[in-house]
Amino acid sequence: MNSNLLIFLVATIAATIFAPVAAVLARRCGIVDRPDGQRKLHARPVPLTGGPTILFAIGAAMALTVLVFPDLLTSTDGDIQFLTSLGAASLLIVIVGILDDRFGLRGRQKLAGQILAAMIMIPSGIMIEEISLFGYEIEVGHFSAFVTVFWILGAINALNLIDGVDGLATTTGIVLSLSVAAVTSILGGRPDGMLISLALAGALTGFLMYNFPPARMFLGDSGSMLIGLVLGCVALKCSMK
């Protein structure tokens, strides 16, 4: 079994096993989506478990894969720094999402958390230094950090905004992450981006078992924002915007 298949399968199995555990904890902590008879038409409160489940599954899959293939990430520079930064940013965005799911943060509070998570990624080396627009190359110069943060914020909120139908954001995340992995493979791209993409795809595949209509669990803000963060950062890392 190669590393790509291993990380996908481990992430899928980990998400499948951990999701019910996360659901129990979410119900006990009151992190549920309650029906309101208008926009939220589900019959009973549904636990919001996406963020913790996906984060746990990706972490477990990455750890086991690197343990089995210890030399896997030595072919590219900056892998550890990127993965460490992404792990810290992901943990922060999940915490922000959980707080929003539980208490309902104000827009500026949630945005502040998203900006901080995006800024954590800047030292990892994923910087947008130029933009191609209609055949023209635009150098962003001193604004590269600002443009990079703006890109990550856009990715985070793009997935967050489409999370309104059972399984939609989860399925979209699977398609996007597998697409990034496929293009990375075709272009002979970075193994760290490949592994993260496949781990995310596997985690979402496992979670989809509970999120498929009629959903027994929802992604919540923690899950949808995490998907956007990971995809946005991997796209920058692999230079595929």
Side-chain angles (χ1 to χ4, degrees):
M1 180 182 295
N2 63 32
S3 59
N4 294 337
L5 181 59
L6 175 64
I7 197 166
F8 180 85
L9 291 178
V10 172
T12 302
I13 295 171
T16 304
I17 294 174
F18 184 73
V21 178
V24 172
L25 296 175
R27 288 193 180 95
R28 289 181 178 178
C29 296
I31 307 174
V32 296
D33 189 39
R34 293 180 172 84
D36 58 12
Q38 299 177 7
R39 188 175 66 89
K40 302 178 181 181
L41 302 178
H42 40 282
R44 60 184 183 277
V46 177
L48 303 167
T49 60
T53 299
I54 296 169
L55 186 61
F56 173 82
I58 292 176
M62 287 292 299
L64 182 59
T65 302
V66 172
L67 183 65
V68 175
F69 299 93
D71 299 327
L72 190 61
L73 298 178
T74 58
S75 61
T76 56
D77 297 328
D79 290 336
I80 300 301
Q81 184 177 8
F82 170 72
L83 294 175
T84 302
S85 298
L86 184 58
S90 297
L91 179 60
L92 175 60
I93 208 70
V94 168
I95 292 173
V96 172
I98 289 175
L99 291 175
D100 187 40
D101 290 333
R102 177 61 181 86
F103 302 106
L105 299 179
R106 294 183 176 180
R108 61 175 178 270
Q109 294 172 327
K110 187 161 67 171
L111 180 61
Q114 294 173 351
I115 292 174
L116 183 57
M119 292 178 63
I120 290 175
M121 297 305 304
I122 299 300
S124 69
I126 54 170
M127 295 281 284
I128 299 176
E129 298 179 349
E130 65 179 27
I131 300 174
S132 298
L133 187 64
F134 300 112
Y136 296 96
E137 300 292 333
I138 303 174
E139 298 286 343
V140 297
H142 298 298
F143 296 99
S144 58
F146 173 80
V147 174
T148 303
V149 169
F150 185 78
W151 164 269
I152 296 175
L153 287 177
I156 291 173
N157 287 288
L159 268 297
N160 191 24
L161 289 173
I162 68 171
D163 184 27
V165 178
D166 291 358
L168 177 59
T170 304
T171 305
T172 302
I174 294 173
V175 172
L176 290 175
S177 54
L178 288 178
S179 298
V180 171
V183 175
T184 302
S185 177
I186 292 172
L187 298 180
R190 305 179 66 93
D192 50 357
M194 170 72 76
L195 293 179
I196 290 292
S197 299
L198 291 175
L200 176 60
L204 292 173
T205 300
F207 184 76
L208 185 61
M209 296 177 58
Y210 307 98
N211 189 230
F212 198 79
R216 289 175 283 169
M217 302 178 197
F218 290 158
L219 279 173
D221 278 354
S222 64
S224 59
M225 290 195 301
L226 177 60
I227 298 171
L229 172 70
V230 174
L231 286 174
C233 292
V234 170
L236 287 180
K237 182 69 171 179
C238 299
S239 297
M240 292 180 297
K241 275 70 73 177

